[in-house]
Amino acid sequence: MIKELIAQKTAEAIQNAAEKRELGQLKLEDVPELFAEKTKNPEFGDYSVNVSSLAKQARISPAQIAQIIKPYINFSEAEISTIQGFINFKLGNSILNGGISKIIKEHENFGGNNQGNSEKVLLEYVSANPTGPLHIGHGRWAAVGSSLANLLKFSGYKVTQEFYINDAGNQINNLGKSLWIRVCQELGFDIKFPETEEEGSKNYYSADYLVNVAKKYIESNKNKAEEFYKNNPEPLKPSDEIVNEMSGFAKAIMLKLQKDLLSKFKTDFDVWYSETSLHQSGEVEKTIEKLKSLDKLYEKDGALWFKSTEYGDDQDRVIIKNDGSYTYLTADIAYHYDKLQRGFEKLINIWGADHHGYVARIKASIQAMGKNSDCLEVLLGQLVNLIISGEQVRMGKRRKMLTLEDLIEEVGIDGTRFWMIMRSIDTTLDFDVDLAASCSDENPVFYVQYAHARACSILRTATTERMDQDNKTQLPPFISKEEFKQLINPEKFEKNTLEFLWKTKIDKEVESTKALILKLESFEDLIQTSAKLRAPYMIAKYLQELAKDFHYFYTFTRVLSADNDVTKARLILVNATRQVFLNGLNLLGVSAPDSM
RNA sequence: GUCCACGUAGUUCAGAAGGAUAGAACGCCACCCUCCUAAGGUGGAUGUCGGGGGUUCGACUCCCUCCGUGGACACCA
């Protein structure tokens, strides 16, 4: 990687200079890690290292420091110059050619690295309640989570993707009660959902998605439903048996719908972990016993409390309520403990910002269990604002809403994923539905996909017969399919074929070729950084930049020409570009069409 | 009141690890297809980086404070 190489060469130079006592009072152990970065202005060169930070320690001005270090840099493939505290590197062709050949040799693995060192990561995200359809907010975490999983895998982590099914508790009863009302309605009885809060409207899911579930239920259970009604003629007060029957049915249907939609949305979980199973297996009780034995629990006001304040939480938390039931937190503590018991070294959760208060509690529980709470990393993502007809629309499960499914239908899978991933999760996402739907041509995803398709098109044209426009005669392809295959064969790749990239003396051709190669080469660094920062949005941004560089190259540098050597060299470059687009889009779970 | 995130161009957003004249996309204006995909490219306009202090040779970036926006502060899930 060029960036690393330059930083390393510079670090060696500093060490050598310091050993020769050229850097004043500078002590090597005080030297901060220096990074190479792209220059702000191409006049300065391609990359630079800022050595100003050594000035204070050495008691020498930044400009002088740079001057002193420069002759110690052993890097013949680059032209080195200094301006103020910057050491600038202008890369020679051999370095650039090396960048391309690495892509050709590694093809679909190009960009990958082993920073994860096979660490076992459990990535938990979406984890919706099975009480209704997934909404747009879930869509954000699905897109971000699945691409983060791809990214981490590409960076050498062993990732398991998990969905925690919140299928226990009151809400499930409410779901059952709500379905029962819908079933009664479908049976023809005149029943309405409570409308006011006094009547308990909050305890019902009155959105119309349960109508279809009710229909489905009656399809196969009509007699049963009528029997239920006969014995329980008050639909607002169903028996436990009815509620259980209804919630079980609704839960299964909802979960199935969620699974199918996520799978269609290119979000595939390895494990679907049911909260109910956690209770049934006795894990929750075991966890309480464990905490009890560690003396982390106490009784107060008829409830059992966890001393989470001992670990930085701002108040203690109830584990068993005074009615004997568990809180949501109790199961969640057991769940996280179970993750660690299953052998995961790193737990990454993606949560909506509305759950941020939970982080301290869960971390406290992990610490109380005697583990290091740093193993849990919670990525808090800001929520999604829906904008319809220029107005913000608040989302609510029990009201009318735009579901993820509706959105996908309007915007498409690629567009929705790219849009959801594109922005840092730290910022609230304004999702303008009208814009995304009506002006879908302007969606940035098309810009990137078009660039990929364009690269494919050049490769296609190169290997197909063409018509001579003047004589109307058939001409052979620029290169035969077989020859092209050999040209980019990783095993037999000849780096010196790339020399012809630099045969041209046309400024725009040289400039656009070089810019494209540098961008392609930096993909490796991008992957490292975005994996480290858990930031898939950086990939989306990178791909837009790469598309821009490629379009620029395309405009000024003709690939297919009469000069066979130059054509071959440029075809290799185009193929490398295609490969990087493909690798990047795959990480995002966005398709890479060959033509558009 | 306490905690978290955010506040950068008309709009939506980048500016990890302090550093060279603060960037992109969309929108607006003017150009560019006899030629590999014009869903493209080139050029142009637009900024008190929320305000005020501080640390530093140097601050969009770090610290303090104030203002604004969103979210969280349950024996709900």
Side-chain angles (χ1 to χ4, degrees):
Chain A
M1 225 185 330
I2 293 174
K3 232 174 135 174
E4 263 178 7
L5 182 68
I6 291 173
Q8 185 198 329
K9 297 262 185 203
T10 310
E12 284 168 9
I14 290 170
Q15 186 167 355
N16 290 334
E19 276 167 12
K20 296 238 164 104
R21 305 237 160 245
E22 292 241 36
L23 288 171
Q25 303 169 26
L26 188 79
K27 286 183 197 141
L28 274 179
E29 57 268 30
D30 295 336
V31 176
E33 192 180 354
L34 295 176
F35 301 93
E37 51 187 7
K38 281 238 165 99
T39 54
K40 293 266 155 66
N41 184 334
E43 280 171 34
F44 299 142
D46 303 313
Y47 279 89
S48 68
V49 178
N50 187 335
V51 293
S52 307
S53 53
L54 309 184
K56 199 171 187 181
Q57 292 287 337
R59 302 207 175 202
I60 302 173
S61 76
Q64 272 180 294
I65 296 250
Q67 296 262 7
I68 294 167
I69 295 170
K70 185 188 152 192
Y72 283 94
I73 300 174
N74 173 25
F75 193 16
S76 59
E77 296 96 332
E79 248 177 69
I80 304 169
S81 60
T82 68
I83 302 172
Q84 296 169 25
F86 292 88
I87 301 176
N88 296 319
F89 298 78
K90 191 171 180 187
L91 300 166
N93 299 342
S94 69
I95 292 274
L96 299 172
N97 295 349
I100 302 173
S101 58
K102 191 163 189 205
I103 300 171
I104 300 297
K105 284 181 182 154
E106 300 183 359
H107 42 111
E108 77 262 27
N109 297 318
F110 176 72
N113 64 76
N114 193 32
Q115 79 176 250
N117 201 15
S118 299
E119 189 176 23
K120 286 181 73 185
V121 174
L122 186 88
L123 178 61
E124 184 214 325
Y125 58 101
V126 183
S127 296
N129 303 326
T131 53
L134 295 172
H135 55 70
I136 288 173
H138 294 128
R140 187 175 195 186
W141 312 136
V144 169
S146 53
S147 61
L148 180 60
N150 296 338
L151 176 59
L152 293 175
K153 284 181 193 168
F154 205 40
S155 299
Y157 293 89
K158 291 252 179 297
V159 182
T160 298
Q161 302 176 68
E162 190 157 299
F163 184 116
Y164 182 58
I165 310 164
N166 282 267
D167 57 358
N170 255 331
Q171 53 187 346
I172 296 297
N173 281 332
N174 293 341
L175 178 69
K177 282 169 18 193
S178 306
L179 177 59
W180 177 236
I181 292 176
R182 287 298 184 194
V183 168
C184 292
Q185 287 174 344
E186 287 303 310
L187 288 173
F189 301 109
D190 182 27
I191 289 121
K192 283 193 181 115
F193 281 99
E195 277 170 11
T196 64
E197 276 193 35
E198 291 79 48
E199 295 169 311
S201 64
K202 274 188 161 177
N203 298 326
Y204 292 89
Y205 297 95
S206 56
D208 51 12
Y209 60 83
L210 283 178
V211 173
N212 280 331
V213 181
K215 283 184 177 151
K216 211 172 254 179
Y217 182 81
I218 289 170
E219 253 173 49
S220 41
N221 302 282
K222 191 158 193 247
N223 293 338
K224 204 169 174 185
E226 281 170 343
E227 192 72 15
F228 275 145
Y229 187 83
K230 213 185 279 172
N231 300 331
N232 259 278
E234 278 188 80
L236 288 175
K237 290 178 186 158
S239 67
D240 288 352
E241 189 195 1
I242 295 176
V243 174
N244 284 339
E245 166 87 2
M246 292 300 134
S247 53
F249 188 84
K251 200 158 96 172
I253 300 262
M254 285 304 150
L255 186 61
K256 176 81 167 63
L257 289 174
Q258 293 183 357
K259 278 187 182 181
D260 291 349
L261 181 62
L262 287 168
S263 172
K264 181 176 155 199
F265 196 51
K266 296 187 184 175
T267 304
D268 292 297
F269 290 93
D270 303 302
V271 180
W272 295 78
Y273 198 110
S274 149
E275 183 185 347
T276 304
S277 78
L278 199 61
H279 287 98
Q280 286 168 352
S281 69
E283 279 304 310
V284 179
E285 275 136 54
K286 261 193 255 171
T287 304
I288 295 173
E289 285 310 313
K290 168 117 181 151
L291 284 172
K292 213 180 258 174
S293 70
L294 291 165
D295 193 28
K296 302 302 173 195
L297 303 179
Y298 65 91
E299 276 187 52
K300 193 182 94 184
D301 306 332
L304 193 63
W305 297 70
F306 167 43
K307 300 175 182 172
S308 57
T309 45
E310 284 186 10
Y311 305 97
D313 194 6
D314 43 20
Q315 55 175 288
D316 288 342
R317 306 291 168 178
V318 170
I319 290 294
I320 301 181
K321 302 183 221 168
N322 58 17
D323 68 359
S325 62
Y326 302 132
T327 60
Y328 176 78
L329 177 68
T330 314
D332 222 18
I333 289 174
Y335 176 47
H336 282 84
Y337 188 61
D338 178 69
K339 287 180 180 177
L340 291 171
Q341 294 298 98
R342 280 186 277 157
F344 292 101
E345 299 155 82
K346 176 71 98 186
L347 312 180
I348 302 180
N349 293 355
I350 302 181
W351 285 355
D354 52 343
H355 287 75
H356 101 265
Y358 247 72
V359 180
R361 290 167 223 188
I362 299 293
K363 285 202 172 229
S365 77
I366 290 175
Q367 255 181 290
M369 297 291 200
K371 307 267 183 179
N372 184 345
S373 64
D374 288 345
C375 66
L376 174 66
E377 218 178 283
V378 180
L379 307 179
L380 290 173
Q382 299 299 312
L383 307 176
V384 180
N385 276 332
L386 259 189
I387 297 184
I388 299 176
S389 318
E391 274 182 55
Q392 269 201 26
V393 179
R394 286 187 65 86
M395 290 186 299
K397 276 205 190 77
R398 293 162 184 83
R399 302 225 186 93
K400 246 192 182 175
M401 59 184 167
L402 193 74
T403 64
L404 177 60
E405 192 169 17
D406 298 336
L407 187 70
I408 291 173
E409 207 158 289
E410 293 208 47
V411 183
I413 290 171
D414 287 341
T416 307
R417 284 191 63 95
F418 199 89
W419 197 284
M420 292 292 192
I421 295 168
M422 199 164 65
R423 305 263 132 93
S424 153
I425 61 165
D426 284 338
T427 154
T428 315
L429 179 65
D430 278 340
F431 205 114
D432 189 322
V433 179
D434 298 317
L435 192 85
S438 69
C439 313
S440 62
D441 278 9
E442 279 149 22
N443 199 311
V445 71
F446 288 96
Y447 183 75
V448 175
Q449 289 181 320
Y450 182 68
H452 174 266
R454 203 175 218 188
C456 291
S457 167
I458 296 173
L459 301 176
R460 211 180 305 125
T461 310
T463 53
T464 42
E465 289 165 355
R466 61 214 150 104
M467 282 296 265
D468 185 314
Q469 291 306 315
D470 301 329
N471 306 326
K472 303 279 175 217
T473 52
Q474 195 90 340
L475 292 174
F478 285 95
I479 182 169
S480 73
K481 286 197 172 70
E482 187 51 36
E483 204 183 344
F484 177 69
K485 219 172 140 190
Q486 288 308 312
L487 200 61
I488 57 165
N489 182 331
E491 272 80 49
K492 296 179 185 161
F493 181 68
E494 305 255 2
K495 192 175 157 188
N496 51 19
T497 52
L498 292 170
E499 285 302 326
F500 292 98
L501 284 176
W502 315 106
K503 186 179 175 188
T504 176
K505 295 295 170 246
I506 300 166
D507 281 353
K508 285 280 191 191
E509 293 191 352
V510 175
E511 179 205 328
S512 63
T513 301
K514 191 168 179 180
L516 176 59
I517 296 172
L518 285 172
K519 182 63 75 181
L520 290 170
E521 196 279 337
S522 69
F523 184 65
E524 284 189 292
D525 179 66
L526 167 89
I527 296 302
Q528 281 200 1
T529 307
S530 52
K532 197 185 297 172
L533 300 179
R534 323 290 193 219
Y537 79 91
M538 294 178 107
I539 301 172
K541 196 180 140 239
Y542 169 87
L543 290 173
Q544 291 179 75
E545 290 165 6
L546 178 61
K548 190 177 177 72
D549 287 334
F550 181 65
H551 287 313
Y552 185 83
F553 166 83
Y554 176 91
T555 306
F556 290 105
T557 311
R558 196 169 169 86
V559 176
L560 306 176
S561 72
D563 188 326
N564 206 251
D565 292 327
V566 173
T567 299
K568 280 184 188 172
R570 288 181 178 163
L571 281 173
I572 295 171
L573 176 57
V574 171
N575 189 63
T577 309
R578 182 197 58 79
Q579 186 70 61
V580 175
F581 274 126
L582 186 61
N583 293 3
L585 286 169
N586 279 343
L587 290 173
L588 298 186
V590 172
S591 69
D594 290 348
S595 61
M596 291 175 78

